């Protein structure tokens, strides 16, 4: 799929470059052609004026008043005719014998317009007819266009070769740019593939457990419900686990598609944190874990209260899962001027350094076997990271194996208000 997309992007880019190159070559050719034509017309008018006023023909090769050099004038010549069309005078630099020159003049005189082009002996001449002063005859100035055409052909050939070389470089450059452009798409696609694969795997496990326990229950229809409590409890546990997993998956999917609007408001973050810790004390006590807190009073924060509650629950619940009996969990909340800092520290098993950079990735678990036993799917910290970032905050983690882990969340006071004001201004 990506190879076809890469080739398609390259061909589209080369096609655009090719059209621009053709446009450039065509416009350059036409401009140059027009410039040569105007130059020829101006010089023919000058020659006609000089010769028609009686200036000697020899002056045509080196007039002081013109900017055109001898090389330009060498392709020009003229003839003078009487009122019947007979040649009365010829410039010294005429390239044709008298009989051919007479034929050329007769072809020129048949033209209705006083200027134009005429073909003679496989040569194209441009001409200009003008009356002679104080004389009933005409002066006809000719210019051999073959030299101009040679210049234009050389120019066209040079531009074409340059265009081909340019398109060759454009092709390989487009391949390189297409590869660069596809890198984030490939990463995103791979993440999506991994996400789908991990989600399927996580859902398949509880479904398999539910199916197995259901078969055990149905295989013993004569047994009472009480005697099969073990299998039914397994079904209930896996159903709850799958329900939580689906809920987290839907949350992340909506977050990715930006379909999770925030209900921003001012609230007492200190009170919110203490109320959550109060509800989790029973769970900590059952696990023989000491839950300690140091919370600064009356910290007002502007944000989505429900999402902040979810963030706190995820971090404390994660600490409870990875702290053994007899351990301690300490939660601290302080107001540090422009931001609020919350830390959740535990005395659990800790995390190896090579895992720290990946713990916020979806479905990433340091110890998969232990995480499954504790009901973790590796999505909680991803959700916590999203909630922190959507509040323009930052979450960091430090850990030492065998000593514990500390999560540090910094949430700016003014960041969300600025974001809201900006959004409101855009809507206005």
């Amino acid at each position: 799929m990506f190879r076809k997309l890469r080739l398609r992007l390259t061909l589209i880019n080369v096609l655009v470059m090719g059209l621009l190159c053709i446009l450039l070559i065509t416009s350059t050719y036409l401009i140059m052609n027009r410039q040569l034509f105007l130059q020829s017309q101006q010089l023919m008018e000058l020659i006609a004026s000089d010769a028609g006023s009686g200036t000697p023909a020899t002056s045509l090769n080196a007039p002081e008043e013109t900017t055109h050099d001898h090389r330009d004038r060498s392709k020009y010549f003229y003839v003078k005719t009487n009122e019947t069309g007979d040649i009365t005078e010829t410039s010294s630099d005429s390239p044709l014998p008298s009989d051919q020159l007479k034929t050329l003049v007769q072809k020129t005189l048949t033209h209705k317009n006083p200027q134009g082009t005429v073909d003679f002996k496989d040569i194209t001449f441009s001409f200009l007819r003008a009356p002679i002063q104080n004389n009933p005859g005409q002066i006809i100035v000719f210019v051999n266009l073959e030299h101009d055409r040679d210049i234009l052909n050389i120019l066209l050939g040079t531009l074409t070769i340059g265009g081909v070389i340019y398109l060759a470089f454009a092709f390989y450059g487009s391949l390189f740019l297409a590869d660069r452009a596809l890198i984030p798409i490939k990463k995103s696609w791979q993440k999506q593939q991994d996400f789908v694969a991990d989600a399927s795997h996580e859902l398949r496990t509880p479904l398999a457990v539910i199916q197995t326990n259901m078969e055990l229950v149905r295989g013993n229809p004569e047994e009472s419900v009480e005697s099969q409590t073990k299998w039914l409890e397994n079904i209930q546990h896996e159903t709850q686990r799958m329900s939580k997993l689906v809920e987290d998956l839907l949350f992340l999917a909506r977050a990715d598609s930006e379909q999770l609007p925030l209900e921003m408001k001012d609230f007492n973050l200190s009170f919110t944190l203490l109320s959550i810790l109060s509800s989790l004390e029973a769970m900590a006590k059952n696990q023989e874990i000491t839950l300690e807190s140091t919370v600064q009073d009356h910290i007002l924060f502007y944000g989505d209260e429900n999402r902040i509650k979810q963030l706190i629950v995820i971090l404390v619940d994660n600490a409870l899962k990875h702290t053994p009996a007899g351990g301690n969990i300490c939660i601290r909340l302080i107001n540090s001027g422009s931001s609020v800092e919350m830390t959740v520290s535990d005395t659990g098993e800790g995390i190896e350094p090579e895992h720290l950079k990946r713990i916020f990735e979806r479905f990433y678990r340091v110890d998969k076997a232990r995480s499954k036993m504790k009901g973790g799917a590796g999505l909680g910290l991803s959700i916590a990271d999203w909630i922190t970032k959507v509040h323009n905050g930052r979450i960091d983690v430090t850990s030492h194996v065998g000593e514990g882990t500390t999560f540090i969340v910094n949430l700016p006071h003014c960041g969300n208000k600025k974001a809201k004001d900006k959004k409101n201004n855009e809507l206005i």
Side-chain angles (χ1 to χ4, degrees), residues 155-167:
L155 175 65
L156 183 61
T158 303
L159 290 174
T160 302
I161 294 174
V164 172
I165 296 174
Y166 167 76
L167 289 179

Side-chain angles (χ1 to χ4, degrees), residues 260-267 269 272 301-311 386-387 390-391 416:
L260 282 175
L262 298 179
E263 298 178 2
M264 310 298 285
K265 63 179 181 179
D266 291 307
F267 65 95
L269 181 56
T272 300
F301 183 75
Y302 180 80
D304 189 320
E305 185 176 8
N306 291 327
R307 297 304 174 206
I308 297 298
K309 285 181 179 179
Q310 188 177 8
L311 169 65
W386 180 86
I387 294 173
V390 83
H391 282 83
N416 300 299

